[in-house]
């Protein structure tokens, strides 16, 4: 929230790269709010229950925001590709208006993607003791509780997830491939080292996030192992949202300076005047 507000308030940061970082920060706020508060409440409570409607809503918003993040990370990778590999054309191509349209498109596409999966799950019959073997509501654990054949659901989930995750991952890898190629052409060793440091940190977070969700959702089985599924869920629902602000924002010197300037200026303005 701090990163998002600083980018909104500081006019020096009203540039596409920082606008994308602000949107990512705002998205991560809601992405984690979908699952973590309920998860923490369940850890402290003896009665761990959720209504069926609540479970479907949690699943829908978690997948909607997750899909939006996949699209947004793709847009951010392409933005960096243009800035590094096409620096002369970058200002003309990536305007603030286009940035807003891309961000809106990422959110819109993300919220449309899981609708078919949620509708299919809502029509399944559930029986006996419905205990979700997971840390939050999700499609695989819900399908394992159904009292009828769920092969259609599994196939639809696979098709939707494969389309979203694999295509966005491919575009991100192509963008970073172009960036690495451009970095290798930098003549100074210091310049290459700085550029590689930034690219490597971005790539590590992307690979961890996409690696875990590919293994979890691009498969034709409901589950491989409950323990493995829970571990991977912690990675993409808790650890990567924790790492993203550090990697994309707090390693950016201009953004750190803006945060300090905003905090200290507001603090100085709010402090009482002594006589």
């Amino acid at each position: 929230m701090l990163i998002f507000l600083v980018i909104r308030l500081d006019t020096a940061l009203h540039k596409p790269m920082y606008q994308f970082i602000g949107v990512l920060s705002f998205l991560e706020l809601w992405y984690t709010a979908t699952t973590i508060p309920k998860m923490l409440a369940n850890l402290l409570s003896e009665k761990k229950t959720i209504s069926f409607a609540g479970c479907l809503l949690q699943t829908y918003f978690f997948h909607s925001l997750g899909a939006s993040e996949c699209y947004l990370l793709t847009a951010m990778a392409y933005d960096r590709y243009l800035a590094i590999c096409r620096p002369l054309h970058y200002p003309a191509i990536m305007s603030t208006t286009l940035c807003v349209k891309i961000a809106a498109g990422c959110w819109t596409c993300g919220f449309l993607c899981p609708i078919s999966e949620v509708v299919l799950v809502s029509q399944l019959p559930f029986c006996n003791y419905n205990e979700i073997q997971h840390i939050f509501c999700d499609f695989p654990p819900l399908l394992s509780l159904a009292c009828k054949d769920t092969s259609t659901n599994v196939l639809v989930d696979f098709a939707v997830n494969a389309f979203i995750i694999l295509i966005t991952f491919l575009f991100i890898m192509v963008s970073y491939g172009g960036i690495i190629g451009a970095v290798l052409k930098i003549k100074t060793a210091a310049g290459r080292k700085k550029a590689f440091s930034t690219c490597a940190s971005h790539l590590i977070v992307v690979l961890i996030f996409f690696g875990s969700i590919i293994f979890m959702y691009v498969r034709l089985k409901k589950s491989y192992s409950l323990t493995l599924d829970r571990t991977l869920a912690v990675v993409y629902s808790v650890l990567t949202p924790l790492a993203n602000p550090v990697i994309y924002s707090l390693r950016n010197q201009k953004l750190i300076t803006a945060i300090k300037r905003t905090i200290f200026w507001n603090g100085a303005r709010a402090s009482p005047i002594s006589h």
Side-chain angles (χ1 to χ4, degrees), residues 17-174:
M17 182 181 79
Y18 297 104
Q19 297 285 2
F20 280 128
I21 291 174
V23 174
L24 179 65
S25 300
F26 185 72
L27 190 150
E28 293 284 27
L29 184 70
W30 294 105
Y31 178 70
T32 52
T34 304
T35 56
I36 292 179
K38 182 62 178 177
M39 193 191 307
L40 295 175
N42 285 338
L43 289 173
L44 298 173
S45 174
E46 292 183 5
K47 189 179 181 182
K48 311 175 196 298
T49 60
I50 186 170
S51 66
F52 181 61
C55 189
L56 282 180
L57 280 174
Q58 186 184 64
T59 304
Y60 170 72
F61 282 111
F62 182 70
H63 278 261
S64 296
L65 293 164
S68 299
E69 181 166 346
C70 289
Y71 292 127
L72 187 60
L73 290 174
T74 307
M76 292 174 72
Y78 183 64
D79 173 70
R80 290 300 81 211
Y81 167 79
L82 286 177
I84 294 170
C85 301
R86 300 287 186 272
L88 297 178
H89 299 93
Y90 178 73
I93 297 172
M94 192 59 70
S95 62
T96 303
T97 303
L98 181 60
C99 177
V100 171
K101 289 179 179 179
I102 291 173
C106 292
W107 282 80
T108 303
C109 292
F111 274 77
L112 290 174
C113 287
I115 291 177
S116 59
E117 297 170 275
V118 171
V119 170
L120 286 172
V121 170
S122 67
Q123 295 174 349
L124 290 174
F126 296 91
C127 51
N128 300 326
Y129 185 60
N130 294 322
E131 182 176 352
I132 298 172
Q133 298 292 330
H134 204 43
I135 55 177
F136 52 80
C137 288
D138 203 357
F139 289 123
L142 276 174
L143 293 181
S144 65
L145 297 177
C147 300
K148 62 175 286 188
D149 179 54
T150 58
S151 57
T152 302
N153 299 74
V154 172
L155 188 60
V156 170
D157 288 355
F158 174 80
V160 172
N161 294 328
F163 176 79
I164 298 169
I165 298 170
L166 295 182
I167 289 181
T168 54
F169 182 64
L170 176 63
F171 275 107
I172 290 172
M173 289 297 101
V174 170

Side-chain angles (χ1 to χ4, degrees), residues 11 16 57 80 179 184 197 204-205 220 227:
T11 54
L57 280 174
R80 290 300 81 211
I179 292 171
L184 290 173
S197 174
I204 288 170
V205 174
L220 290 170
T227 303

